[in-house]
Amino acid sequence: MTIQIRNTIRFLLNHRLVELSDVSAVQTLLDFLRIDRNLRGTKEGCAEGDCGACTVLVGRLLGGQLKYESVNACIRFVGSLDGCHVVTVDSLATPGGPLHPVQQAMVQTHASQCGFCTPGFVMSLYGLWMENAKPSVTEIEKALQGNLCRCTGYAAIIRAAEAISTIGDLGKDPLFAERDRIAGELAALQDGRRVVIGEGAELFMLPASVDDFADVLEANPKATIVAGSTDVGLWVTKFMRDIAPVVHLTHLEELRRITVDDKGVTLGAGVSYAEAYPVITEHFPQLRELWDRIGGQQVRNMGTVGGNIANGSPIGDTPPALIALGASVTLRKGARRRTVALEDFFIAYGKQDREPGEFVEAVHIPFLEADTSFAVYKITKRLDEDITAVCGAFRLTFDGAGEVADAVIAFGGMAGTPKRAVHVEAALKGKAWQEPTVEQAISAFDQDFTPLTDWRASAEYRQLVAKNLLRRFYLETQATGNIRIDRNIAVAV
Amino acid sequence: MNVMQPIDRIRGGVHENERHESGHKHVSGTAEYIDDIPEPAGTLHGYLGLSQRAHADILSIDFDAVSASEGVIGILTADDIPGENDISPAHKHDDPVFATGKVEFYGQPMFAVIATSREAARRAAVKVEVEYRDLPHVTDVLEAAAANYPLVIDPLKLERGDIEAGFAKAKNIVEGEMRIGGQDHFYLESQISFAIPGEDDEVLVYSSTQHPSETQHMVATVLGVPSNAVTVNVRRMGGGFGGKETQANIFAAVAALAAKKYRCAVKVRPDRDDDMSATGKRHDFHVDYKVGFDDEGRIEAVDAVFAARCGFSADLSGPVTDRALFHADNCYFYPNVRLRSKPLKTNTVSNTAFRGFGGPQGMVGGERMIEDVAYAVGKDPLEIRKLNFYGGEGRNLTPYHQTVEDNIIGRIIEELETSADYAARREAVIAFNRENHIIKRGIALTPVKFGISFTKTEYNQAGALVHVYTDGSIHLNHGGTEMGQGLYTKVAQVVADEFQVDLDRIKVTATTTGKVPNTSATAASSGSDLNGMAAANAAQQIKARLVRFAAERWNVAEADVAFEPNTVRIGAERLPFGEFIKLAYGARIQLSAAGFYKTPKIHWNRSEGRGRPFFYYAYGASCSEVSVDTLTGEYQVDRTDILHDVGRSLNPALDLGQVEGAFVQGMGWLTTEELWWDAKGRLRTHAPSTYKIPLASDRPRVFNVRLAEWSVNREETIRRSKAVGEPPFMLGISVLEALSMAAASVAEYRIPPRIDAPATPERVLMAIEQLRAAARQGAVAQG
């Protein structure tokens, strides 16, 4: 079957259809809004997806359903938006008309001071409101993990978030009320064609299907694959790297599939953290805290588990946990597929077991067996939206006599790749799961890891924390007393 | 003439919870920041080229690849500067726009690329080839001292009493040292300037600056033109916090330079990473202290040296390090005291103003001494605090010989202790720690006393310009800048109150050097104190003319003319304000006035270390409780209670926002915000991915913030209010001390934990490890 090609990208921008044929592979949505379209309500704070001043909503279809999500316009490429609906702060209130309920709430509670971060907060809260009209404080905080405010201390913003539903009726919100019409318009943009724009150093493509993606990548083995652009975006905005040709996964619904069978969960490589969240937390509740602390909401909406693995970072959030769980990845090149254990995928710093033209297609996470304890701990300087200093994941299987039958322990932030603590594992296997065993195994960390000192943590701290995380894991399996800081302490007061 | 019934009160007068004047624009994205101003056709963009060495001779610079880069129009170096290549606010000639011959920190601007787009300029700037010859560099305070680096400016010494006799009398002496980290401002809007050339030597500069008059002066100096050729305009900043007091100047100077050279509008805006690398921050300090005290914990003598990482030039390091000394006493009387500053040069970006202006570092040092005394005598640090508060016969003189006359800390502390249930909660914390071995808690209640006024006396003046138009609408302009603190709102409330008209009758327009000249930085928390008074003065001048006019025209005594809500009462008659203004205009009454204010009573002799640098003090206190994980050093603030003094608030809602925001910013400074330089002298925490300011989820789980509603400024400030910008920043100290207590619990509170700031999880864990080791040793020694 010959694939049909389109040489434009088309998306809705607020109330209008935009069709572009002359757009750079590295054009960010933020610059497009501010410079090309003169929509200057959306601000640039950091240009790396960490401050949220540029937050906009992007609506996209999955299985015919339209869902709006907050994203960072600063690291989102315009090329990835084909078939989407971009909603910016400029469209919320009509000039001279009343403010949107989210905006009214922010004004009433004195939630803006300098006002520069405010449009981003408004959009994050709008995204939350559409999903959850009466959120708890914890849910509000989670929705705002990707938004920095330097003036208010946030208390007023939380008050605003709580007030929205007393001001407005979600049912009357234009995006909510007109969801079907907009979904229809977006559906009409989906013509099943491969999108090809530009050439040479400006070339980017949106394959029409996974098979098409495999073809495109074989033909362009040096292409940069962009899923959520939460990492690649910075190559452009911070390092000014030329990344073309670029392949966007926007249209690959197949890669956004989540399958659950009797063996485990399979995530298509294009599944975002947010899309994976319900099934991950259902089957692996031990991953909930980790998942809640990946980036901010915008990053979880954009970033993908597949991308987190494929970029090979030693401090990626998911690899240590997935290695400990015994996950594997399916790699595909053309029509050829192979499956490798995740821990074998990471060869050395910056080097993964992926050939040119090959891509990560899916991640398989097997269910935990009976008599198994599993936990993952992410240690950071700041609780939320921070990159790992140390991340430790532990999976221990016990035999009937309370001895350690199997141990898989994987760490991030301790070496040039996510890496197993094989000596610690060996020191635990076959031993009674008791404090002396743990204390005797601790010193094996010195054989397994020689961490580095950098701005996130010193080598000394990393090593000590790695050891203490084994202690924490042991204590948690004993389930006595206060072992963790109580995040819900406010309820108790 | 109508006979109108008076209404009760105007809308939006003083002491009202009026919303921020730009709130509706902030939320809809229509509040215009400089990068949002529509650019004239042909606007060019400038981008700074930064050094890649901490200290080196520049042997050669090859611009070939830069010039050849797409979109490049030209390159500016020191040779293109017609005036002086210097923007030193201290007038030390140590702060070049572009480095020549030598670079003194990693990230120092050396040139600027001018191109057709910002992207093109930015991409071109990194293509430069520079040949350096490395020189030895130091980034750290102690290393600088060891390497005999010079001071960037004369140090200050404050001395009172007899320090030798004080220590001789003291039964106990503790010596210690503490490192206090710096802080990046992380204003959400990075630095930016946009210059439009005018006729002859004129230039209009839109600058995100807290100090338009100085920016004007610096631009004029660099261009070699008189100040009257330069107009600086700032409607609002997306945050300042001191980071745009002097640090905006280089961007304004470069934009103006390029605008004049290329005869078109030029915008200069750095990327966040470059902003954080190339502009100054809060000073890091090293404090070396010795404190003598009796067995009860009453302080007899204090001797301390505050050494600061100033960076490569003086900038504001003189007054910043001075203010550290001014606040090293916090609320405590030191009978015999010697405090010395050591403003050290380092090969780092020149540090600058930041909310509190050295005061927080001084206060943290002072509070660390209190903690040490408390651990030494085995008491709750709050007891030691109360024992040493100013108050009582002969116990009111500060180390700088100003008498504390308005002390209300006793009442603040007492009320907060009660409302926060401090005593019972401290017992509960101690009980919790006895039962729990992994999670430990700590609680601390710390006070704040902060001196209000610029210590540079000449800065304590302000101007305002008020026009009343014939339709009764009022145009207000003053020298203060709006950076989110609500200054425009508050000053408008003052003017509304003066004229007794509704607030929506008043429009505050962008701060500009063309309307109100020779203004001071909007800094030192002084914005509403100074500009509120100046605006009130302008309004009063107009009112006086109007009163005279009414008295003559209606033949009543001046005392029978009154401005009442939206009306003017003349004898028994009332006129709507607008109608009355029309009549005044018809009678050729001048309806415009320039107001002026200078703070009374203050004087300061720096060489003698004596005077009254502060008009008054603002007070406050906070009580924080924390939980700490002793396996990882992770922590959270479980609860914070605050009671803060803003005098009679001009706007309680805005003041509450200042207090909440300042606390969280102060907490961030002392906890997760860490500046980290590598061996090459390069700052590696230069973006939000690596530099961690607090998030919503970091604010205290329970956060009770109140203003001391009973407080009235005893000095005649604007409507008896008090300044609020900086004082509550230091409320964050309670978090640091609560973390200390939690750590100290692992050694039965016998050893002072002495955690340096910022108390990152790493520092907390390492302190716990040391305390555990010390406790084990102690146990062995005793056993």
Side-chain angles (χ1 to χ4, degrees), chain A residues 221-265:
Chain A
K222 289 185 176 168
T224 306
I225 302 167
V226 179
S229 72
T230 57
D231 192 30
V232 177
L234 277 71
W235 301 359
V236 171
T237 63
K238 292 298 164 182
F239 309 117
M240 294 179 275
R241 269 168 62 180
D242 294 318
I243 58 165
V246 171
V247 180
H248 289 294
L249 309 187
T250 309
H251 291 315
L252 309 187
E253 279 216 8
E254 300 142 281
L255 282 192
R256 289 170 70 190
R257 260 181 217 147
I258 300 171
T259 333
V260 182
D261 60 21
D262 56 352
K263 295 196 184 66
V265 173

Side-chain angles (χ1 to χ4, degrees), chain A residues 170-251:
Chain A
L170 184 59
K172 291 180 184 150
D173 184 75
L175 285 188
F176 197 88
E178 294 176 41
R179 188 169 286 231
D180 291 345
R181 178 184 63 75
I182 299 165
E185 285 182 32
L186 293 182
L189 296 178
Q190 297 190 332
D191 56 8
R193 296 185 184 204
R194 177 197 295 173
V195 176
V196 179
I197 309 262
E199 54 188 30
E202 291 293 319
L203 173 67
F204 73 88
M205 293 160 284
L206 283 70
S209 66
V210 174
D211 290 343
D212 186 35
F213 175 36
D215 291 347
V216 163
L217 208 57
E218 272 206 304
N220 298 275
K222 289 185 176 168
T224 306
I225 302 167
V226 179
S229 72
T230 57
D231 192 30
V232 177
L234 277 71
W235 301 359
V236 171
T237 63
K238 292 298 164 182
F239 309 117
M240 294 179 275
R241 269 168 62 180
D242 294 318
I243 58 165
V246 171
V247 180
H248 289 294
L249 309 187
T250 309
H251 291 315

Side-chain angles (χ1 to χ4, degrees), chain A residues 26 31 34 38 40-48 50-51 53 89-90 92-93 99 102-104 106-107 110 112-119 121-122 137-138 140-141 144-156 158-159 234 236-242 289 293 378-387 453-462 464-465 468-469 471-472 475 481-491 493, chain B residues 17-20 22-24 26-31 33 35-39 118-119 122-123 126 183-190 236-239 241 267 269-273 354-355 432 436 438-439 441 482-485 627-636 638-639 653-654 656-658 660-662 664-665 672-674 676 684-685 687-699 701-703 760-762 765-766 769:
Chain A
V26 294
D31 279 354
R34 291 186 56 84
N38 207 28
R40 297 195 167 182
T42 309
K43 311 300 181 193
E44 179 181 315
C46 71
E48 63 177 12
D50 260 286
C51 82
V89 71
D90 315 270
L92 261 60
L99 294 174
V102 175
Q103 297 172 318
Q104 282 183 46
M106 290 283 286
V107 173
H110 307 277
S112 72
Q113 285 184 25
C114 87
F116 199 84
C117 71
T118 309
F121 274 93
V122 166
V137 169
T138 305
I140 295 165
E141 286 172 347
L144 296 180
Q145 281 169 338
N147 291 84
L148 297 175
C149 170
R150 192 53 151 166
C151 297
T152 64
Y154 302 99
I158 303 289
R159 293 193 278 270
L234 277 71
V236 171
T237 63
K238 292 298 164 182
F239 309 117
M240 294 179 275
R241 269 168 62 180
D242 294 318
E289 186 190 327
R293 291 172 58 200
K378 175 178 167 175
I379 306 301
T380 50
K381 206 179 281 183
R382 183 177 69 194
L383 178 67
D384 287 324
E385 205 210 22
D386 198 358
I387 295 167
T453 290
D454 68 9
W455 50 93
R456 295 200 172 89
S458 68
E460 191 189 5
Y461 176 74
R462 286 189 159 112
L464 175 60
V465 164
N468 281 350
L469 289 181
R471 294 189 171 110
R472 179 194 277 180
L475 290 170
N482 292 304
I483 300 162
R484 298 293 299 278
I485 289 171
D486 179 7
R487 284 298 290 168
N488 297 315
I489 199 155
V491 180
V493 169
Chain B
N17 286 322
E18 188 59 35
R19 67 169 181 80
H20 194 286
S22 290
H24 61 295
H26 294 152
V27 298
S28 49
T30 56
Y33 301 84
D35 204 27
D36 303 336
I37 298 171
E39 299 90 348
R118 178 174 174 272
E119 179 72 11
R122 185 173 167 224
R123 283 176 173 260
V126 295
Q183 185 177 28
D184 189 87
H185 304 84
F186 211 87
Y187 28 68
L188 262 288
E189 178 209 37
S190 64
R236 63 172 64 78
M237 281 163 274
F241 315 112
K267 185 148 72 177
R269 174 172 70 86
D271 182 66
R272 173 64 61 180
D273 295 58
F354 195 143
R355 202 176 204 168
F432 178 93
N436 290 276
I438 303 296
I439 305 301
R441 289 190 178 154
E482 176 63 43
M483 60 196 104
Q485 80 279 43
S627 291
V628 173
D629 184 332
T630 60
L631 289 175
T632 59
E634 295 165 292
Y635 48 77
Q636 83 177 1
D638 297 336
R639 175 175 167 181
L654 296 185
L656 197 73
Q658 287 294 298
E660 288 175 346
V664 169
Q665 199 177 66
T672 59
E673 295 184 36
E674 187 173 25
W676 197 91
R684 300 306 295 267
T685 49
S689 51
T690 47
Y691 183 77
K692 311 311 283 187
I693 72 168
L695 277 171
S697 53
D698 294 312
R699 78 194 195 296
R701 302 287 78 204
V702 179
F703 195 25
T760 55
E762 172 164 348
L765 182 64
M766 292 316 190
E769 288 291 306

